[in-house]
Amino acid sequence: MSNSTIDFKGRVAIVTGAGGGLGRQHALALAARGAKVVVNDLGGARDGSGGSVSAAQAVVDEIKAAGGEAIANGASVTDFEAVQAMVKQAVDAWGRVDILVNNAGILRDKSFAKMELADFKLVVDVHLMGAVNCTKAVWALMNEQKYGRIVMTTSSSGLYGNFGQSNYGAAKLALVGLMQTLSIEGAKNDIRVNCLAPTAATRMTEDLFPPEMLEAFRPEAVVPAMLVLAAQDAPNRTILCAGAGTFEAAHITLTQGAWLGIAADTPEQLAARLSDVTEREGEAVPQSGAAQGANEVAKGMANARRG
Ligand code: NAD
């Protein structure tokens, strides 16, 4: 990554869920650095109920007042036809879509014991299928352009778990899985796909942070991570965590493991060596699922040859 200014002149961005919270800051920052921005927001409540385009329009007004270019869109990311129409709106106005920030989201927290399946499915639908719908709607275009930057918004709840968020955590880690494969499939046409795991005081989290932490966790502090992941020089296949001025990368690592023999079919043998299998010294990040499988075969064959 160079030290030059990151700018988005001539770029077209779609930011979903940009009527408030993090999405609003993402849209304002992209526009301030020259991008033309589709500000999408359903305009509903934190649990996804209700809706109005006025939240998105207010952000568009703010961008325009600052001299930027933006259009409002009130589609729900769960509605593929409406999402396709949103992409058409961008293309009709500006001819291309370079950046997609999948940010829209809702919460329906409850312990798994008390959770209705409908609340599980809705949260998966908005976070996972919403991002799938938006990504699918720009994918052919980005492939034709041979350029695309896609940011999936994951969460520490998905990466590490949180009480009461089985639906949300499952959906958020699913986005990491989506990113892992799309970053491989998109690479040949310079489509780079990354994940952002933010921590910020927004209406989604306002009741979680003590008052003295609200200022530190201002949403603006997450924005640099999104801008780096959306930039021309963006990495590919990175999970960036950002909050309160701290930035970290999360990895899904693989231990060195232990070879128990080709015919090691008994759980007792594995149980006896479990601490060797889970030992973290020397762990690595495989470049793909296939690479992990191939590595297992290679290790097994090398060990078998040694006898
Ligand atoms: P927020 O509630 O302020 O913003 C979410 C926005 O998404 C809202 O404006 C909402 O109207 C919109 N939205 C909801 N459903 C939609 C739909 N179907 N279609 C279009 N728009 C829809 O919350 P936020 O904290 O700014 O969250 C932004 C993203 O960051 C979410 O994906 C959230 O899960 C993620 N996240 C936030 C935190 C945090 O600490 N705030 C932590 C981890 C992940």
Side-chain angles (χ1 to χ4, degrees):
M1 187 74 54
S2 70
N3 283 326
S4 60
T5 309
I6 294 178
D7 94 64
F8 294 92
K9 275 193 200 71
R11 299 289 179 202
V12 175
I14 296 176
V15 184
T16 69
L22 286 162
R24 172 174 164 268
Q25 296 298 338
H26 292 334
L28 292 173
L30 284 164
R33 286 170 179 261
K36 303 172 177 95
V37 184
V38 176
V39 178
N40 159 270
D41 206 293
L42 173 72
R46 183 167 90 163
D47 69 357
S49 57
S52 144
V53 76
S54 59
Q57 188 58 51
V59 176
V60 166
D61 293 345
E62 239 181 298
I63 289 172
K64 286 189 172 163
E69 275 188 74
I71 46 183
N73 176 278
S76 170
V77 292
T78 58
D79 177 345
F80 185 53
E81 277 181 19
V83 164
Q84 285 178 302
M86 169 176 74
V87 172
K88 186 172 180 307
Q89 198 185 359
V91 172
D92 286 350
W94 300 313
R96 52 191 293 125
V97 177
D98 301 285
I99 297 160
L100 169 65
V101 183
N102 284 308
N103 166 81
I106 61 166
L107 283 184
R108 294 265 170 122
D109 290 2
K110 273 205 173 90
S111 67
F112 192 59
K114 293 185 183 142
M115 188 175 294
E116 301 287 339
L117 281 182
D119 285 338
F120 203 106
K121 285 179 180 163
L122 183 67
V123 166
V124 171
D125 201 32
V126 172
H127 289 275
L128 174 58
M129 289 314 299
V132 169
N133 288 336
C134 295
T135 303
K136 182 70 180 165
V138 298
W139 194 249
L141 189 68
M142 287 185 172
N143 272 292
E144 276 162 34
Q145 288 171 179
K146 299 199 182 310
Y147 189 91
R149 300 287 180 264
I150 299 176
V151 180
M152 307 285 181
T153 309
T154 183
S155 166
S156 55
S157 297
L159 294 166
Y160 306 111
N162 259 344
F163 189 93
Q165 296 198 315
S166 57
N167 51 359
Y168 180 75
K172 287 306 205 186
L173 196 60
L175 290 168
V176 175
L178 179 65
M179 176 279 282
Q180 298 279 18
T181 286
L182 294 186
S183 61
I184 294 169
E185 292 186 9
K188 67 177 183 298
N189 284 329
D190 197 17
I191 303 174
R192 303 184 198 175
V193 189
N194 294 284
C195 283
L196 172 64
T199 309
T202 64
R203 72 173 187 176
M204 195 176 267
T205 52
E206 62 199 354
D207 38 6
L208 302 179
F209 292 109
E212 66 276 13
M213 284 167 75
L214 291 178
E215 170 56 21
F217 280 106
R218 64 196 214 291
E220 292 90 324
V222 170
V223 170
M226 182 282 301
L227 292 174
V228 163
L229 298 180
Q232 187 155 339
D233 280 351
N236 194 22
R237 209 171 167 245
T238 297
I239 307 167
L240 267 193
C241 307
T246 297
F247 299 89
E248 298 147 317
H251 294 285
I252 300 183
T253 63
L254 190 72
T255 65
Q256 290 270 314
W259 188 71
L260 301 186
I262 291 289
D265 295 338
T266 70
E268 290 79 10
Q269 278 175 286
L270 172 57
R273 297 285 305 279
L274 204 53
S275 60
D276 294 336
V277 170
T278 58
E279 165 59 44
R280 301 199 60 185
E281 176 85 32
E283 63 188 3
V285 180
Q287 286 311 296
S288 66
Q292 189 239 324
N295 188 36
E296 278 178 349
V297 174
K299 274 189 201 165
M301 282 170 50
N303 280 301
R305 269 199 300 277
R306 275 202 292 275

